[in-house]
């Protein structure tokens, strides 16, 4: 078993380069990696690196593009939330969670995301290399989240309800909720 960054997976296939100083391999979760080696002086402290930035190893459940920053957020069935910089084509943040994330929305400022999990919705701050939860809301199976244009409100859907929350207080005024929708909601 290989522990590479945040993902744990078995090696599928490997190849040594022509100068025999790098071993390139693919993993069971579809990552392409490299490790420098020295056949004459083996060492235990080899550092694994991604040849191509790590992708989701399973399906992507949600995605949103930030309005004011060059960022894209994705969440997937592999229990990760990833923040990508589409200008530099790099992965900025990759956080692993206990539960699968189903939906994601960027606050228009780019400093916050709201992520829908199986048992709750988490409001998170986006820092330079990490996401930090600052508020949790008990909404189960939230499949879609969207911010208002100004970012002061966001809407969450779960099976047969749409609830609108005030972002800065996490309050849900009763007049902003719609319950008993006949068809499950999902943006097409």
């Amino acid at each position: 078993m290989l522990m590479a960054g945040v993902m744990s997976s078995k090696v599928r296939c490997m190849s040594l380069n022509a100068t025999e100083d790098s071993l390139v391999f693919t993993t069971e979760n579809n990552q392409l990696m490299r490790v420098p080696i020295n056949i004459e002086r083996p060492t235990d402290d080899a550092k694994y690196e991604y040849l191509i930035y790590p992708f989701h190893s399973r399906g992507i459940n949600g995605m949103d593009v930030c309005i004011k920053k060059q960022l894209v957020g994705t969440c997937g069935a592999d229990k990760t939330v990833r923040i990508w910089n589409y200008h530099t084509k790099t992965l900025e943040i990759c956080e692993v969670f206990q539960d699968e994330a189903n939906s994601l929305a960027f606050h228009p400022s780019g400093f916050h995301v709201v992520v829908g999990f199986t048992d709750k919705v988490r409001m998170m701050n986006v820092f330079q290399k990490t996401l930090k939860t600052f508020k949790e809301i008990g909404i189960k199976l939230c499949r879609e989240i969207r911010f208002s244009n100004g970012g002061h409100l966001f809407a969450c859907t779960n099976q047969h309800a749409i609830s609108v929350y005030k972002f800065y207080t996490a309050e849900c005024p009763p007049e902003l909720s719609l319950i008993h929708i006949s068809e499950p909601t999902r943006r097409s």
Side-chain angles (χ1 to χ4, degrees):
M1 197 82 125
L2 165 73
M3 186 56 152
V6 296
M7 306 305 289
S8 176
S9 184
K10 294 179 183 175
V11 173
R12 280 185 130 174
C13 111
M14 64 179 103
S15 180
L16 198 56
N17 70 343
T19 58
E20 297 184 348
D21 62 354
S22 288
L23 181 67
V24 177
F25 57 95
T26 60
T27 63
E28 199 173 54
N29 63 354
N30 304 318
Q31 306 300 318
L32 181 61
M33 305 195 67
R34 172 189 171 276
V35 62
I37 60 168
N38 185 337
I39 294 174
E40 295 170 7
R41 287 189 186 159
T43 179
D44 288 337
D45 64 342
K47 296 201 168 62
Y48 299 99
E49 61 186 42
Y50 290 96
L51 273 182
I52 300 172
Y53 279 94
F55 299 112
H56 287 279
S57 60
R58 296 182 60 205
I60 294 174
N61 295 336
M63 181 181 84
D64 196 22
V65 178
C66 182
I67 294 172
K68 293 191 177 176
K69 293 185 176 185
Q70 297 171 332
L71 300 174
V72 174
T74 58
C75 61
D78 60 359
K79 299 181 181 180
T80 64
V81 173
R82 297 169 192 250
I83 307 295
W84 310 83
N85 184 317
Y86 61 82
H87 180 70
T88 61
K89 299 177 183 168
T90 58
L91 177 64
E92 300 281 322
I93 300 170
C94 179
E95 291 284 337
V96 180
F97 294 93
Q98 295 294 321
D99 299 319
E100 181 178 334
N102 298 310
S103 54
L104 175 140
F106 253 113
H107 186 272
S109 70
F111 295 120
H112 315 284
V113 290
V114 177
V115 182
F117 291 90
T118 307
D119 61 340
K120 66 187 93 171
V121 170
R122 291 183 180 156
M123 300 168 68
M124 301 179 193
N125 289 320
V126 178
F127 292 111
Q128 190 171 4
K129 296 291 178 193
T130 189
L131 300 173
K132 294 285 183 197
T133 302
F134 67 89
K135 184 77 91 175
E136 292 182 347
I137 302 169
I139 300 174
K140 295 180 187 244
L141 298 170
C142 179
R143 300 277 181 205
E144 193 66 40
I145 303 171
R146 285 290 161 243
F147 271 97
S148 64
N149 289 338
H152 62 293
L153 301 171
F154 66 94
C156 298
T157 65
N158 70 337
Q159 293 181 328
H160 300 291
I162 299 174
S163 299
V164 178
Y165 288 84
K166 294 180 179 181
F167 176 70
Y168 297 104
T169 62
E171 294 173 347
C172 180
E175 66 273 9
L176 295 180
S177 291
L178 177 62
I179 302 173
H180 301 298
I181 302 168
S182 60
E183 295 288 321
T185 56
R186 184 69 176 169
R187 188 168 42 114
S188 44

